[in-house]
Amino acid sequence: MNIASTDLENPIDAMCWIHQALRAEAAHVQQIAEHLEEGGTLEPFRQAFYRWVLALGYHAEAEDQWMTPLLPACAVARECEAAHLRLAARLEDVQRCLTEEIGRTMLIARTQRHLFGAVVLARIAQDDHLEEEEAFVLPVIRRQFSATQQVRVIAHLLLDQTAEDPHWPLNWLDGHLPPRERRLVADLAALAKQAA
């Protein structure tokens, strides 16, 4: 299999599908937070939030380890790394709000408002960052990285070699993709395995 067989003009363009999936996760968490009911349980929110945090955290760490260091003189790459830190702080705000409520026997209206507000701020921070990355970082990668280098970056975004199940990021992403994109990502993942 070669890079042309993926039907992607640039392999790094698959990152936009990851971003779409992250946006969908954030929207889902926000929707749950918005509809939490007084006296209800936080468990559905907690599960959705941790799923979002796991995917977003892995994505940011993989970029910081395998993508932005390849752009040492690029100011937008440094901004990308700084945005990841700011985003982590926003997610910690949500976690702090959630942790404060664990000891309560039931959800109160104030908790729902604070949780919802923290999620909205985290979602805005994520969406702003992803838009900036798509507008400023990805064009640099398209210009400066060969297709093989792009596949190596995507390999680390799709496959977590440190996890018990290295395919979990790919499996997570598959749940957010229509069939054509799922096939293209599978082709790219096969290339990624060869490039690794």
Side-chain angles (χ1 to χ4, degrees), residues 22 25 28-29 45-57 168 171-176:
L22 290 169
E25 290 285 350
H28 180 64
V29 171
F45 174 84
R46 187 178 292 117
Q47 289 177 8
F49 175 66
Y50 290 149
R51 179 178 159 104
W52 177 32
V53 168
L54 178 66
L56 181 57
W168 78 262
N171 295 336
W172 166 81
L173 181 59
D174 276 353
H176 291 280

Side-chain angles (χ1 to χ4, degrees), residues 20-68:
Q20 288 173 359
L22 290 169
R23 288 179 180 108
E25 290 285 350
H28 180 64
V29 171
Q30 182 177 324
Q31 181 181 34
I32 292 172
E34 185 175 15
H35 294 99
L36 286 171
E37 294 183 10
E38 192 169 349
T41 176
L42 286 169
E43 194 54 35
F45 174 84
R46 187 178 292 117
Q47 289 177 8
F49 175 66
Y50 290 149
R51 179 178 159 104
W52 177 32
V53 168
L54 178 66
L56 181 57
Y58 176 75
H59 183 71
E61 287 175 23
E63 285 183 355
D64 289 349
Q65 185 174 3
W66 301 103
M67 185 182 75
T68 56

Side-chain angles (χ1 to χ4, degrees), residues 100-156:
E100 289 171 2
E101 296 306 315
I102 287 176
R104 295 190 189 273
T105 56
M106 68 172 74
L107 181 66
I108 59 174
R110 179 181 61 85
T111 302
Q112 187 274 337
R113 288 189 304 271
H114 288 223
L115 208 49
F116 179 73
V119 167
V120 168
L121 291 175
R123 182 180 179 194
I124 290 169
Q126 173 192 268
D127 290 353
D128 288 351
H129 165 62
L130 298 178
E131 286 173 11
E132 288 172 1
E133 194 171 82
E134 290 166 4
F136 302 112
V137 178
L138 293 185
V140 172
I141 291 172
R142 287 182 195 108
R143 281 191 313 270
Q144 295 186 11
F145 289 21
S146 70
T148 301
Q149 288 173 309
Q150 291 179 39
V151 167
R152 284 191 192 115
V153 170
I154 289 295
H156 293 289

Side-chain angles (χ1 to χ4, degrees), residues 2-15 17 147 150-151 154 180-181 183-185 187-189 191:
N2 62 36
I3 291 164
S5 68
T6 65
D7 291 334
L8 284 171
E9 186 174 336
N10 295 286
I12 202 66
D13 292 342
M15 191 183 298
W17 296 330
Q150 291 179 39
V151 167
I154 289 295
R180 179 181 178 276
E181 283 81 1
R183 181 186 54 79
L184 291 172
V185 167
D187 291 347
L188 197 53
L191 277 174

